Amino acid sequence: MKFGANTLIWTAAFDRTHLSLLPRIKERGFDGVEIARFDFHDFPAAEIRRNLGQNGLECTFCSALTGDLSLISEDAAVRKKTVDFLRHGIRTAAELGARIFMGPFYSQVGNLAGRRRTADEWTRAVEGLQSLGESLATNGVVMTIEPLNRFETYFLNTAADAAALCDEVNHPNVGIALDTFHGNIEEKDLGSAFRTAGKHLKHVHACENDRGIPGSGHVDWRGVFGALHELRYDGWLVIESFGFTIKEIAAAACIWRDLAPSPEDIAFEGLKFLKSRAA
Ligand code: LER
Ligand code: MN
């Protein structure tokens, strides 16, 4: 297993001004950084890749659909724009040297329709993800689809649904990312949820139930690590949280109070806990 820290802990848009974070993240014992961007234009991927290498760090890449981007929209022009956006993300991941491109790549975070998903929306998600297969294979990138809790999406809430989606997409470069924060809300049993994701599980967000320091709350880490060992999971375990002092991130992630003495304690203290449990 490899350990990473998501840059949303520090910034809403990682760029060259944040490169001084890299040696500190390395020094604390991380194997890599999960770089988060919601816009790929003018992103200095090659320069960041060089700096990651100089610091002995690998990376994964994270994004989400914002504005009107949606793979499940009934508007074909919106779906096309979204596929183009995701293709750009896949190329950017490759430029960064990231093998994993993760996120809830179906509709916008926070988009609630006030009803269940429809069969047509499901079909559009399957077809949209299938249409990215060639770009993923060519760039050597695996896209991992993250189910979110019911308050952030109505489209994909559970590991079982994510596994059904991947079964239908049926492409080796499309898999599942499970986030323990969302699973803690939606699943009856976190360990079983990881087993249900099974062979499709290609990425993990390790987050406490309040997005605070992993190990400080009530996430069933015993169940999670039991399942990861059983699955012989050898992918990334990335600590994700959100800088609660950065207004736009706090608003997007609904963080209305301090979750730890400082946002980076979530990464640095959390890593000690996760390593002790993974051993
Ligand atoms: C959002 O709740 C989340 O977990 C992120 O990983 C979405 O990109
Ligand atoms: Mn997540």
Side-chain angles (χ1 to χ4, degrees):
M1 237 176 298
K2 292 181 195 174
F3 296 90
N6 187 298
T7 56
L8 291 171
I9 293 170
W10 291 276
T11 170
F14 189 91
D15 62 18
R16 57 168 63 86
T17 64
H18 304 101
L19 288 171
S20 60
L21 270 177
L22 300 183
R24 294 179 52 232
I25 291 174
K26 174 69 182 179
E27 193 185 289
R28 296 302 185 115
F30 283 97
D31 302 298
V33 181
E34 181 158 280
I35 293 173
R37 288 282 308 197
F38 305 106
D39 170 7
F40 312 131
H41 289 285
D42 300 322
F43 177 61
E47 182 182 341
I48 292 171
R49 181 183 190 154
R50 261 196 319 280
N51 273 268
L52 286 162
Q54 285 159 2
N55 283 284
L57 287 166
E58 295 180 49
C59 80
T60 57
F61 194 39
C62 165
S63 191
L65 304 179
T66 58
D68 69 345
L69 293 177
S70 170
L71 268 192
I72 61 173
S73 166
E74 57 187 2
D75 183 338
V78 169
R79 297 203 299 279
K80 177 170 181 325
K81 191 164 97 171
T82 307
V83 166
D84 289 344
F85 169 83
L86 290 171
R87 285 209 179 104
H88 195 175
I90 293 163
R91 290 196 304 276
T92 307
E95 279 163 32
L96 268 174
R99 185 164 163 69
I100 298 288
F101 180 38
M102 78 80 58
F105 298 136
Y106 32 88
S107 77
Q108 306 94 326
V109 178
N111 176 25
L112 300 172
R115 55 161 174 79
R116 298 180 183 205
R117 66 169 182 252
T118 64
D120 284 345
E121 287 172 333
W122 183 266
T123 303
R124 290 178 206 130
V126 170
E127 290 174 359
L129 294 170
Q130 283 174 334
S131 75
L132 295 164
E134 201 179 313
S135 164
L136 287 164
T138 310
N139 285 284
V141 170
V142 173
M143 178 179 256
T144 60
I145 311 302
E146 182 184 34
L148 301 177
N149 75 75
R150 67 188 70 182
F151 304 107
E152 295 186 34
T153 187
Y154 68 100
F155 185 76
L156 200 71
N157 298 139
T158 64
D161 280 0
L165 186 68
C166 283
D167 280 340
E168 280 196 46
V169 172
N170 192 24
H171 193 286
N173 293 57
V174 177
I176 298 176
L178 287 187
D179 179 324
T180 53
F181 169 80
H182 299 296
N184 178 67
I185 294 171
E186 294 299 335
E187 309 286 356
K188 292 208 185 290
D189 179 305
L190 262 186
S192 305
F194 277 74
R195 279 184 213 97
T196 298
K199 65 174 189 216
H200 294 302
L201 183 71
K202 302 282 170 64
H203 197 63
V204 177
H205 272 173
C207 309
E208 198 42 88
N209 64 285
D210 62 350
R211 295 284 200 193
I213 301 170
S216 68
H218 66 243
V219 160
D220 175 16
W221 296 106
R222 186 187 295 272
V224 169
F225 280 105
L228 291 178
H229 284 299
E230 222 176 284
L231 291 169
R232 299 181 198 279
Y233 178 78
D234 66 352
W236 286 91
L237 209 54
V238 169
I239 298 179
E240 179 187 54
S241 192
F242 308 98
F244 30 86
T245 54
I246 307 164
K247 262 210 291 211
E248 69 260 51
I249 299 192
C254 295
I255 308 279
W256 312 126
R257 60 195 160 82
D258 291 355
L259 304 174
S262 79
E264 69 178 22
D265 283 330
I266 297 172
F268 296 155
E269 295 305 313
L271 180 64
K272 294 179 202 161
F273 170 77
L274 293 176
K275 282 194 166 177
S276 74
R277 287 302 181 96

